[in-house]
Amino acid sequence: MCRFVEQVLGYVATDLRPSFDRAHFENTFAGQGVEWFLDYKAIREGLTGLYRLSRQQRRLLYDTFKADIVFAAQLGRADYQFSYPGLPASVKEIAKPLFEALYDDILGGSTGFRMTGLRKPNLLRGHVRRGFFEANRKRDNQFNQVCPACLGMIEVDSEDGHADLDHYFTKSIYPTLSVSSDNLIPLCKVCNQTMKRAKDPLEGHRGPGQLAFLFLPYHRPGIESITIGLDQTEPDEKIVVGVRREKQADRVRVANFVSLFELNDRWSGRINSSLYETIRQDVISDFLDPNKAVTEQAVKDKLTSLFRAKMSSKSTVPDAYLLAKYVEKIIKRPELLAAFYREVTEVIDLEREAMLAIEPEEE
C-alpha cells in the first residue's frame, strides 16, 4: 500500500500537466489493478487538489512522504524528525484530505485496497487487526485479548479482531502515516476512544531525535522499562508508574506513555475495584483445607507462586502483569504482607468454621 501511495505521489510530482488527467493516470498505472482507485470521490478530489500546488511543492510532498513512512527504521538516528508537520500550512491543507481518504474511504471502507499482487484480494482494516492477533496468539494458540497499551482486555465477539485500530501517530497531525502498518495498533476501546483519542505522542518533543522520547508499537516496547510503585493511602491504594532504569530517555518515555493512556489512575482503579479481590480469593481458596497450616510464610509462598504464574502469562492474559506487580509489592513490604496475612486468616477461619458446621447426613 505504501509503495503504491509513494508511486502515486511520485507521478504527481513529475507530471507536467497543469491538471489531473484521469486517462493518463490509468494508462501510467495499467496492469497494477488500480482502476478502482479513482472510483472514490475523495481520492479523485484529493489528486485534483494536489495540482493546485506548484511542482516544487508537489515534489516536497513526495519527499516528505518517503521520509516519514520509513520512521520505524530511523529509531537510532539522532537527527531524524517527521517532515510533514513542518510543511507549509497551504501544502498541508491541500494534501491532508487525500491521505485521510486513503484510510477512511479505502482501508477503513467496505472494499479495501484492491491491487494486483496483494495476498488479500481486498485488504481491509479488519485484516490488519486480524494479522495482529494472529501474530500474538497465546502459547496454546488461543486468541489473545490483551490490550498492548493498558494490558487490560480487548472486548471482541470472535477471533476476527474487532478491536479499535489506533493510529499511534494520529492521522490528523501525521496523515502521511495513515496507512502505515508501523502506525496501526489494535487497542481496547477505552484506550483509543476515551484516553488517547487524538493526542500527539510527540507533544512537547519537536525537532531532531524526537523518536527517542517514545515507546513505539512493534519496535520499542516499554514493558521492560516500566516499574510499578504503590502509594499506601487510605482507604485505597494508588499505583504509581515509574521507570526501571535510571536513564533520561526511559524517564521521558515512561512519563509520555503514562500521560498518553492515563495509566496511574486507571491502574489504581483496577487494583481497588477488582484485582485485589482476585488475589485475596485465590489465596483464601488455597487454605480452606482444615489440615493445611495457615502461617505467614505459607501465605507468602502462595503469593510468590501466584506472582510467578502471572508473570509467565503477562503478555497473553489481561491484567496479569498488573496483578503480578501488585502481588510483588505485598511480598516485598513486610507491613503489607502482615496486614494481608491478618485479613485472609480471619476469612479462612470463618470459612473453615462454616464448612465444619455443615456435616454430611449419615445414610
Side-chain angles (χ1 to χ4, degrees), residues 16-75:
L16 300 178
R17 290 164 181 75
S19 60
F20 178 67
D21 186 325
R22 176 169 182 161
H24 186 267
F25 179 90
E26 291 179 339
N27 183 62
T28 301
F29 289 92
Q32 296 190 41
V34 298
E35 293 78 7
W36 59 273
F37 189 65
L38 298 179
D39 289 340
Y40 289 92
K41 180 180 178 182
I43 296 296
R44 293 195 308 272
E45 292 178 347
L47 289 173
T48 300
L50 293 186
Y51 281 79
R52 300 205 306 271
L53 300 173
S54 67
R55 288 189 62 199
Q56 182 180 7
Q57 289 174 323
R58 282 182 267 161
R59 180 71 197 194
L60 178 60
L61 181 63
Y62 172 56
D63 291 339
T64 293
F65 179 84
K66 289 197 299 179
D68 286 357
I69 206 68
V70 296
F71 74 94
Q74 314 301 319
L75 298 189

Side-chain angles (χ1 to χ4, degrees), residues 69-258:
I69 206 68
V70 296
F71 74 94
Q74 314 301 319
L75 298 189
R77 283 182 51 184
D79 61 340
Y80 183 82
Q81 62 181 321
F82 285 117
S83 298
Y84 187 88
L87 289 177
S90 58
V91 175
K92 290 193 287 187
E93 182 180 1
I94 290 176
K96 183 179 175 182
L98 173 64
F99 289 119
E100 292 188 333
L102 292 171
Y103 179 82
D104 295 333
D105 293 352
I106 298 181
L107 184 62
S110 59
T111 56
F113 269 86
R114 306 192 301 278
M115 291 178 59
T116 301
L118 284 178
R119 186 170 64 87
K120 294 283 186 184
N122 292 5
L123 186 61
L124 296 164
R125 176 171 53 187
H127 295 136
V128 178
R129 291 192 300 252
R130 196 173 307 153
F132 174 89
F133 289 112
E134 287 293 335
N136 290 281
R137 283 186 172 274
K138 296 183 180 182
R139 293 185 183 125
D140 59 3
N141 204 38
Q142 296 301 305
F143 193 53
N144 186 348
Q145 294 181 269
V146 176
C147 173
C150 73
L151 306 184
M153 177 176 286
I154 292 179
E155 299 287 351
V156 293
D157 297 327
S158 63
E159 293 198 9
D160 58 2
H162 283 305
D164 277 16
L165 194 58
D166 174 61
H167 287 84
Y168 188 70
F169 295 104
T170 177
K171 64 179 184 293
S172 63
I173 302 174
Y174 308 94
T176 45
L177 308 180
S178 62
V179 293
S180 167
S181 58
D182 291 306
N183 192 42
L184 296 172
I185 179 170
L187 299 178
C188 70
K189 291 186 180 298
V190 175
C191 278
N192 187 36
Q193 297 182 14
T194 305
M195 299 302 166
K196 183 173 178 291
R197 302 186 302 278
K199 292 179 184 175
D200 181 4
L202 289 172
E203 183 68 36
H205 299 289
R206 307 299 181 200
Q210 57 190 184
L211 295 183
F213 298 104
L214 302 176
F215 297 121
L216 287 172
Y218 313 118
H219 299 283
R220 186 192 284 143
I223 195 166
E224 297 305 328
S225 299
I226 288 175
T227 188
I228 290 179
L230 184 62
D231 180 12
Q232 187 73 18
T233 57
E234 297 295 342
D236 294 328
E237 293 157 319
K238 184 177 181 181
I239 290 294
V240 180
V241 180
V243 60
R244 183 182 299 277
R245 298 184 293 267
E246 283 303 313
K247 295 181 179 179
Q248 177 61 24
D250 270 353
R251 286 198 293 272
V252 176
R253 289 169 189 166
V254 170
N256 282 350
F257 191 70
V258 170

Side-chain angles (χ1 to χ4, degrees), residues 343-362:
E343 180 181 349
V344 297
T345 299
E346 291 176 3
V347 177
I348 291 169
D349 288 342
L350 291 173
E351 292 282 351
R352 285 180 173 183
E353 290 176 6
M355 292 172 63
L356 291 173
I358 304 174
E359 296 290 344
E361 295 182 3
E362 295 184 2

